[in-house]
Amino acid sequence: MQTSLPVAVAAPDSSVPALPDVFRAAPTSLRALGRAVRVILLLALGISVLVNPQALHSWKSFAITYAYTVMYSTGLWLTNGYVVEWLNRRYAWTVQPGRRVLLTLAVSLGGSLLVIVGMNAVLLLIQGQPLARLWSGQMYWQVLMPLIITVIVSLFNHSRAFFFQWRDAAVRAERLEKESAVARLDSLRRQVDPHFLFNSLNALTSLVEENDPARAVRFIRQLSQVYRYVLDSESQELVPLAQEVRFAESYLYLQKTRLGDALAVEMDLPPTALAAYHVPPLALQLLLENVIKHNTAFQANPLHVAVALDAATQTLTVRNTLRPRRLAPGESSGLGLKNLAARYAFLTDKQLAIGEEAGEFVVTLPLLEL
């Protein structure tokens, strides 16, 4: 039995290398359990050869060394695997990381200490020595050194586990935020389309009530072309400004069919200056729609609207005579400009400018470049 004494000193120190694999979460399937057992057995074999190569000359000595190393590694694996897995279910790293670190240290330190003392006690019993030697100065370093190494390896592995959990949580949060933003943007975009259709149908109703079938038919054809643009741009976050201007001109044609000379529009938009810029779909149409809906227009006193592009500031400004009219209940949701501002917020840090200047209502749209 004396040939195994070197093992009693070396085994606690040298069985620690099994910890990197052992310290991971406890296996959740038989296959994972079998893999963990194989890892422990193979590592214990290598450690046994390294710490006590002389035992290779005696199968009995080697069997004792190997059994001791296997039990030592298994004890640490159970302590730092299943117990820490229990902590994972109750105290997540991402909720209270400071508290979790302290709990992990306490569990790892206390459990490993029990394993180390227990294995040294087993070794003393095998050697026929009294257990009182556990508290002697001779056993001090045999307990303290492997305990320090165990804590260091435990901290490394749990720090690694914390990093991966934190990274996964950050990825999930980013994905959730992106999906939420896309969903809100889609919701805002869908709020524009029914609003435009509702007002167009109101205009068509007026033509029908005026008993003018020819203009009504022409209006329907123009409306179909306009609404085709609405449907085609529904899935796009940005459209070329030139395309949006052509759509706005078609929209104004529909409105002038209904209002006649009561609506006067000036558009200072050089075609060569439009090519470089983009805007959210229906942005310009929404501003024109708001002008017509919220202001009075008469043949003798037309509603003036001016649309101008400023290449220096990269903005598009829509200004109109401020002549507010009383709206019927339910005619306006009050969400038009708010939705447009929200859509811009998803796309850029540039903001809409909305205000009144010298009796005019002015809205300035930032132009975006791709």
Side-chain angles (χ1 to χ4, degrees):
M1 297 300 294
Q2 295 301 317
T3 56
S4 63
L5 185 55
V7 181
V9 177
D13 279 303
S14 305
S15 60
V16 174
L19 292 176
D21 288 310
V22 174
F23 267 30
R24 297 178 182 178
T28 56
S29 65
L30 290 178
R31 183 176 180 180
L33 177 61
R35 184 165 56 249
V37 170
R38 288 195 298 272
V39 169
I40 290 176
L41 294 177
L42 288 175
L43 286 176
L45 180 61
I47 292 170
S48 299
V49 173
L50 289 175
V51 301
N52 194 11
Q54 297 160 347
L56 294 175
H57 301 290
S58 170
W59 283 107
K60 183 178 180 180
S61 296
F62 184 77
I64 294 175
T65 301
Y66 184 66
Y68 183 89
T69 306
V70 168
M71 289 188 293
Y72 199 101
S73 298
T74 302
L76 291 176
W77 172 60
L78 292 174
T79 301
N80 296 281
Y82 283 102
V83 176
V84 172
E85 183 69 20
W86 178 83
L87 282 177
N88 286 339
R89 292 194 296 268
R90 286 161 177 78
Y91 302 98
W93 283 104
T94 53
V95 178
Q96 293 180 312
R99 183 179 183 182
R100 174 57 199 270
V101 168
L102 294 177
L103 286 172
T104 299
L105 276 175
V107 169
S108 180
L109 193 63
S112 299
L113 180 60
L114 290 176
V115 171
I116 294 169
V117 172
M119 292 307 301
N120 278 280
V122 170
L123 189 62
L124 289 175
L125 291 176
I126 293 176
Q127 294 174 345
Q129 299 184 29
L131 292 179
R133 285 197 59 192
L134 284 174
W135 321 117
S136 65
Q138 183 182 359
M139 301 294 294
Y140 179 76
W141 286 107
Q142 290 183 230
V143 174
L144 183 60
M145 286 304 297
L147 186 62
I148 292 174
I149 296 174
T150 299
V151 171
I152 292 174
V153 176
S154 175
L155 283 176
F156 170 78
N157 282 277
H158 288 298
S159 298
R160 180 170 171 269
F162 166 75
F163 170 76
F164 285 123
Q165 288 189 21
W166 173 82
R167 184 191 63 180
D168 293 342
V171 170
R172 286 195 299 269
E174 183 179 357
R175 185 183 300 114
L176 180 61
E177 182 179 358
K178 182 178 180 181
E179 292 174 353
S180 177
V182 171
R184 283 183 289 167
L185 179 58
D186 289 341
S187 177
L188 293 172
R189 187 185 291 119
R190 284 194 295 270
Q191 289 177 5
V192 174
D193 300 345
H195 187 59
F196 167 70
L197 180 60
F198 173 78
N199 286 278
S200 298
L201 292 178
N202 276 346
L204 179 58
T205 301
S206 299
L207 289 178
V208 173
E209 290 175 348
E210 292 173 5
N211 196 21
D212 191 346
R215 292 177 65 197
V217 169
R218 186 175 183 183
F219 187 92
I220 291 173
R221 289 174 178 170
Q222 292 295 327
L223 177 61
S224 65
Q225 294 180 9
V226 168
Y227 206 72
R228 178 181 296 276
Y229 172 82
V230 175
L231 295 176
D232 290 342
S233 63
E234 183 179 20
S235 60
Q236 301 180 45
E237 294 183 357
L238 292 173
V239 294
L241 178 58
Q243 185 177 333
E244 179 74 9
V245 168
R246 287 194 298 270
F247 164 69
E249 290 173 344
S250 298
Y251 172 79
L252 288 173
Y253 174 84
L254 297 178
Q255 297 301 333
K256 288 185 68 68
T257 299
R258 180 172 66 91
L259 299 174
D261 294 335
L263 179 64
V265 181
E266 299 178 4
M267 301 186 74
D268 183 13
L269 302 172
T272 55
L274 304 179
Y277 303 117
H278 290 73
V279 293
L282 308 180
L284 179 56
Q285 177 271 333
L286 173 65
L287 298 184
L288 297 173
E289 182 182 41
N290 277 350
V291 170
I292 298 170
K293 179 171 59 178
H294 291 280
N295 296 275
T296 57
F298 306 101
Q299 298 289 337
N301 189 10
L303 174 62
H304 290 276
V305 184
V307 183
L309 184 148
D310 188 341
T313 59
Q314 297 185 344
T315 57
L316 183 72
T317 300
V318 177
R319 59 177 67 240
N320 64 275
T321 308
L322 188 57
R323 294 205 302 255
R325 73 180 182 91
R326 188 184 300 274
L327 298 178
E331 186 175 351
S332 175
S333 64
L335 297 176
L337 289 178
K338 291 181 180 179
N339 286 347
L340 184 58
R343 293 169 68 191
Y344 264 99
F346 282 115
L347 300 170
T348 179
D349 56 356
K350 300 178 180 179
Q351 298 181 353
L352 275 70
I354 305 172
E356 298 180 15
E357 298 177 6
E360 293 183 325
F361 187 76
V362 182
V363 180
T364 300
L365 295 178
L367 300 178
L368 307 178
E369 293 182 296
L370 299 182

